[in-house]
Amino acid sequence: MKGFDKRKDQVKKIAMKLKVLIVFLILITSCKGVSQEKETSSETETQKTTAFAVQKTEAEWKKELTDAQFYVLRKAATENPFTSDLLDNKKEGVYVCAGCGTEVFKSATKFDSGTGWPSFYEEIEGNVAYDVDYKIGYKRTEEHCATCGGHLGHVFEDGPEPTGERHCINGVALKFVAKN
Ligand code: FE
């Protein structure tokens, strides 16, 4: 009889452990479910906010832009450093999006960052928008034209005064309009 009780106790203990395990598994799966749901909803939010005023099909953009402009603006590629004609441009004027002509940077905010890409310490407020990308393994703030969504470059926090920002921009994504 004692042996029977002992076995009964063992069975009870095993059943208890199983219950704990099941509850644990349910918790893990439900957490995963929630986080996946969140990811999906944030994707939808991004899609909603990417309703840009200027919208064209990929074929239309390809037709209008040079290959280099297309890959940078529409595919978020990065031009090789020290290749842009605008890198050393010190003329007074405004830099516009090469995709749609929206004014994105003023010449007064341009500075030599030494990186090989045209750099600005401030954007023309409201004319660019930001996103986050993890393309090269760490978090970066991506910057794009707020009108057509064209990729411009990235923003870093190691720029000069007065903002401390370094807008690291692909020259090919810009066009310079000199002040008359
Ligand atoms: Fe644009």
Side-chain angles (χ1 to χ4, degrees), residues 61 65 69 73 96-102 104 152 171-175:
W61 281 121
L65 303 172
Q69 285 172 336
L73 284 166
V96 304
C97 167
C100 72
T102 295
V104 283
L152 301 171
V172 77
L174 301 173
K175 274 182 186 169

Side-chain angles (χ1 to χ4, degrees), residues 54 61 73-74 96-104 127 144-152 173:
V54 170
W61 281 121
L73 284 166
R74 308 311 311 174
V96 304
C97 167
C100 72
T102 295
E103 296 187 352
V104 283
N127 290 3
H144 54 270
C145 170
T147 311
C148 73
H151 171 72
L152 301 171

Side-chain angles (χ1 to χ4, degrees), residues 38-106:
K38 267 188 188 162
E39 267 169 39
T40 321
S41 69
S42 72
E43 261 171 30
T44 326
E45 264 169 44
T46 317
Q47 277 162 359
K48 267 184 213 161
T49 53
T50 49
F52 295 106
V54 170
Q55 290 199 53
K56 287 173 187 177
T57 66
E58 189 153 318
E60 286 170 329
W61 281 121
K62 226 171 187 168
K63 217 172 156 184
E64 277 182 30
L65 303 172
T66 65
D67 280 355
Q69 285 172 336
F70 178 80
Y71 286 111
V72 170
L73 284 166
R74 308 311 311 174
K75 298 290 170 191
T78 298
E79 72 185 10
N80 288 326
F82 301 101
T83 56
S84 171
D85 292 342
L86 296 176
L87 185 60
D88 297 320
N89 182 35
K90 290 183 171 64
K91 289 176 196 157
E92 205 181 325
V94 68
Y95 293 84
V96 304
C97 167
C100 72
T102 295
E103 296 187 352
V104 283
F105 298 100
K106 289 177 184 165

